Amino acid sequence: MTMNRTCVPHPMKLAPPAATGVHLCCPCQRPTTASGWRRKPCSSCRRRRAQHTERFRAGVDKAASFGPLHFADVCRTRALKRWSALAMAPTSRLARLMRDHLGEAQWMAFKAHADAHWRSQFLRAFEPADGALTCSGLIDGSPCPHGFKVHSSALLELEHLHLNHTHDLVHVCEIWRRLVPRCPQSWCEGINGDLLCHLLFGTEPFRGHAPSLRFRCGTARTELFARGHAFCCATTPHYAHVLDAALLLP
């Protein structure tokens, strides 16, 4: 006699499922319960996720062993994923904040402009001349207490290096929505569109303004950073870097 293993309900309540359709709780495609509780991933799902992590680490170690050429390939792949997550993907951070306000037509126009004029600069940030990605330190300008660097012999550390905005992204988008009417004729109607894009994507100096995105170390795996210092990547709103709305006016 065989028994069907089931997942244990997870204690975090999610939105109730739709009346029809299947809501997947994990790769094994077990549906949620009727009451809308997501089931905890079963042992086979956890095992598959662990195997995926092992394969990723094995692939990174292999790439690192091949030297700078493969290091550059891994960095570029990382850069493309970050670019997509920030602006291009349907569920990107900017899409969640601005798509409804701009309307579909102007949102697509903004994406096209960003991809044509700012993508290359964003990707160049992941192609350092000295072959190492370096943490730029705390947002207040002080140096990184860890001296954190990612190079071909320490490629696994790449997951602990983040591009951090000087002005909080949510704050920039709040001002954008305040200055531009809903469903405008242009996504940059009444504002300086180039400076706005610099605040969102700029990794290099622009017309007297410092880079808006810089590499900073940070990770949820705190055991890797048990060195007596906080991370450089700011995980809270940047209250000391409030953007003046007048700066975006033409």
Side-chain angles (χ1 to χ4, degrees):
M1 176 178 175
T2 60
M3 297 180 62
N4 293 327
R5 294 177 60 86
T6 58
C7 296
V8 179
H10 194 276
M12 181 175 291
K13 184 73 176 288
L14 300 181
T20 60
V22 176
H23 291 250
L24 307 183
C25 66
C26 54
C28 65
Q29 301 187 359
R30 289 190 172 90
T32 56
T33 61
S35 61
W37 291 75
R38 175 171 289 183
R39 299 180 187 276
K40 186 176 180 180
C42 62
S43 59
S44 61
C45 294
R46 293 194 296 270
R47 185 166 57 253
R48 275 194 291 269
R49 292 174 185 176
Q51 291 171 350
H52 174 78
T53 301
E54 291 175 2
R55 286 196 297 269
F56 167 77
R57 291 181 174 276
V60 168
D61 288 339
K62 182 178 180 180
S65 67
F66 285 124
L69 179 61
H70 286 72
F71 172 70
D73 290 342
V74 173
C75 288
R76 183 171 180 81
T77 299
R78 176 78 170 184
L80 292 170
K81 289 181 178 180
R82 293 299 89 209
W83 176 251
S84 177
L86 176 59
M88 295 296 114
T91 57
S92 67
R93 296 180 67 191
L94 283 173
R96 294 195 300 268
L97 292 168
M98 295 302 303
R99 187 171 190 167
D100 289 343
H101 184 84
L102 294 178
E104 188 65 24
Q106 289 308 312
W107 169 247
M108 297 304 294
F110 167 72
K111 283 178 58 176
H113 176 83
D115 208 41
H117 299 282
W118 294 90
R119 178 177 179 269
S120 59
Q121 180 185 138
F122 187 92
L123 298 183
R124 280 198 301 272
F126 290 80
E127 302 170 356
D130 60 356
L133 300 176
T134 306
C135 176
S136 62
L138 298 170
I139 197 170
D140 61 7
S142 55
C144 175
H146 312 293
F148 192 83
K149 283 190 176 185
V150 178
H151 44 80
S152 59
S153 63
L155 200 53
L156 280 176
E157 299 295 338
L158 184 61
E159 62 182 298
H160 309 304
L161 196 63
H162 310 279
L163 266 181
N164 193 224
H165 284 83
T166 299
H167 295 93
D168 191 75
L169 185 67
V170 174
H171 176 52
V172 175
C173 290
E174 285 176 351
I175 294 179
W176 188 2
R177 289 194 298 268
R178 190 191 314 162
L179 296 178
V180 174
R182 189 174 184 85
C183 297
Q185 295 298 315
S186 170
W187 60 268
C188 57
E189 181 178 324
I191 62 173
N192 187 332
D194 289 337
L195 183 55
L196 171 66
C197 287
H198 173 70
L199 294 172
L200 298 173
F201 311 120
T203 60
E204 301 171 1
F206 176 77
R207 299 177 185 174
H209 298 278
S212 294
L213 287 90
R214 295 180 184 271
F215 283 111
R216 293 188 174 93
C217 60
T219 178
R221 297 169 61 191
T222 55
E223 71 276 11
L224 297 180
F225 280 82
R227 307 176 189 177
H229 299 286
F231 310 138
C232 294
C233 182
T235 57
T236 56
H238 309 169
Y239 295 117
H241 292 77
V242 178
L243 182 64
D244 183 2
L247 189 65
L248 286 177
L249 297 178

